[in-house]
Amino acid sequence: MTDVFVDSFVYSLGERKIHVNETAAAGGLISSAQDLESAGFRWHHVCEPTTSAYDLASAVTRRLADSDRLGDVDAIVYATCLPLNGNAGDAAEWEATKDVKHLMDFPASRLQADFGLHKAVVIGLNQQACTAMLGSVRLAQAMLQVEKDWNRVLCVTADRFPEGAKYEQAYNLISDGAAACVVSRQPGAFRLVTAHQITNGGLGQAGDDETVGSYFSYTHRLVRETLERAGLTAADLDWVVTQNTNDKAWQILARLLGVGFEKVFFSSMPDVGHVISADNVVNLAELLATGRVRPGQRIALIMAGFGLNWQCLILEATEAVAAAAARD
């Protein structure tokens, strides 16, 4: 089977950096600021009213283009958590005309046109909630292994909450943001070892407490099954890069999985909160910046999301990882 590599991790956040106490005072939370701070949250990033989810996606793609890492891609997988972010059309035009074309102004098509990616096919990925970025990488891997003349796939995720929304979900402080990476046949910083997903649609409308209650058992199952697919054990993992959620949750999960907590990395959480589908990219970029990732090390990226969905990737660092860390 063709090896596939993942590289060029970039992200963009909403322009306004706001402390959890300020958001609480403005009525933007469900929980108290004290409860969220006790879980490890401090700051989050909110878009200006005129900034769209597409603006965030364009910003991360521009970073790749400006650093000569975008290249001539064969496909764009554009992932959104909130369905409304899968349309870049003008809601006022829809209301005025009742013409549904204003509900089908697809941001992936805009991205293709704006960056001159004329040979790329575009695919919109949704209904995977916060796991969508990992899902886009999995989809890119599958396409590269089937489409023998394809070489590069751009994976992008971008979401912002609508004006007036509560910036909290399932006891997590939310940030608006986007992330991107490139999945390629050409050797890059990481080889994609395997990917796995679990969905339990029966929990699709679960409440916050039910969602939290299912988190431990399903995440444990997800990691165990992913390791089995790769022929690995928990002891073979050098790092676990996870989503930004209650910092005590991973102290428990690390024990359940048999992974030392010192291997669990989510350093961005106090500064950026939960960036919807982008957490894994944000935290992996920060881990790379520490210079602690060595060739041959294996990293599990883990995410849970509504739907309910759980996804995991296992990456193996290559000889190119040091250059990627210096560049990114």
Side-chain angles (χ1 to χ4, degrees):
M1 187 170 288
T2 303
D3 277 341
V4 170
F5 298 88
V6 191
D7 205 337
S8 301
F9 303 95
V10 294
Y11 62 92
S12 178
L13 302 171
E15 303 95 328
R16 290 182 287 163
K17 184 177 181 180
I18 306 173
H19 194 271
V20 63
N21 289 333
E22 184 180 348
T23 302
L29 300 176
I30 300 169
S31 303
S32 70
Q34 291 78 10
D35 285 346
L36 290 174
E37 283 195 277
S38 71
F41 294 103
R42 299 290 183 274
W43 301 87
H44 68 135
H45 296 252
V46 176
C47 284
E48 296 290 353
T50 56
T51 301
S52 67
Y54 178 73
D55 292 329
L56 295 169
S58 182
V60 291
T61 307
R62 176 58 61 193
R63 284 192 62 191
L64 293 177
D66 288 348
S67 57
D68 295 323
R69 288 179 285 167
L70 182 57
D72 191 14
V73 302
D74 298 286
I76 301 165
V77 182
Y78 191 111
T80 57
C81 174
L82 300 180
L84 61 87
N85 288 321
N87 176 41
D90 188 339
E93 288 293 329
W94 150 247
E95 291 293 342
T97 66
K98 301 305 180 184
D99 186 338
V100 297
K101 73 181 178 185
H102 299 293
L103 304 178
M104 296 185 291
D105 186 347
F106 301 127
S109 298
R110 284 197 183 192
L111 202 70
Q112 184 219 37
D114 288 348
F115 286 88
L117 304 172
H118 301 303
K119 82 169 187 177
V121 302
V122 297
I123 298 171
L125 181 66
N126 63 15
Q127 300 188 35
Q128 294 189 354
C130 295
T131 72
M133 186 60 182
L134 299 188
S136 71
V137 174
R138 187 183 189 204
L139 179 58
Q141 177 196 35
M143 292 190 298
L144 287 172
Q145 289 175 340
V146 171
E147 301 287 349
K148 301 305 181 185
D149 58 339
W150 286 14
N151 289 300
R152 293 171 67 80
V153 177
L154 170 64
C155 295
V156 180
T157 183
D159 278 287
R160 64 150 297 170
F161 274 17
E163 290 297 308
K166 301 285 188 182
Y167 269 81
E168 180 184 345
Q169 278 292 302
Y171 308 112
N172 293 313
L173 180 66
I174 302 296
S175 280
D176 298 325
C181 65
V182 175
V183 183
S184 174
R185 293 179 188 272
Q186 283 76 39
F190 296 96
R191 181 177 68 89
L192 178 52
V193 177
T194 195
H196 185 43
Q197 176 179 354
I198 299 171
T199 301
N200 184 340
L203 291 172
Q205 293 298 312
D208 287 352
D209 290 342
E210 294 167 314
T211 299
V212 171
S214 68
Y215 180 73
F216 295 94
S217 60
Y218 273 93
T219 302
H220 181 273
R221 174 186 160 192
L222 172 75
V223 176
R224 175 175 51 81
E225 292 179 359
T226 307
L227 289 168
E228 287 174 357
R229 288 167 68 98
L232 301 172
T233 68
D236 295 316
L237 295 176
D238 297 283
W239 298 100
V240 174
V241 175
T242 185
Q243 71 195 90
N244 292 335
T245 191
N246 190 306
D247 56 8
K248 299 174 183 63
W250 266 98
Q251 295 177 28
I252 298 168
L253 273 168
R255 291 197 297 271
L256 291 174
L257 292 168
V259 175
F261 187 63
E262 70 279 1
K263 296 181 178 181
V264 181
F265 196 89
F266 53 110
S267 64
S268 72
M269 179 176 158
D271 192 60
V272 306
H274 175 33
V275 196
I276 311 183
S277 301
D279 285 359
N280 298 119
V281 170
V282 177
N283 285 322
L284 183 55
E286 291 206 354
L287 177 59
L288 281 171
T290 69
R292 297 160 67 189
V293 180
R294 300 286 183 265
Q297 288 188 337
R298 299 185 182 98
I299 302 175
L301 308 184
I302 301 168
M303 182 69 84
F306 281 105
L308 288 177
N309 292 282
W310 296 262
Q311 294 206 51
C312 179
L313 305 180
I314 295 180
L315 306 179
E316 183 178 73
T318 72
E319 294 294 334
V321 74
R327 180 194 64 210
D328 295 341

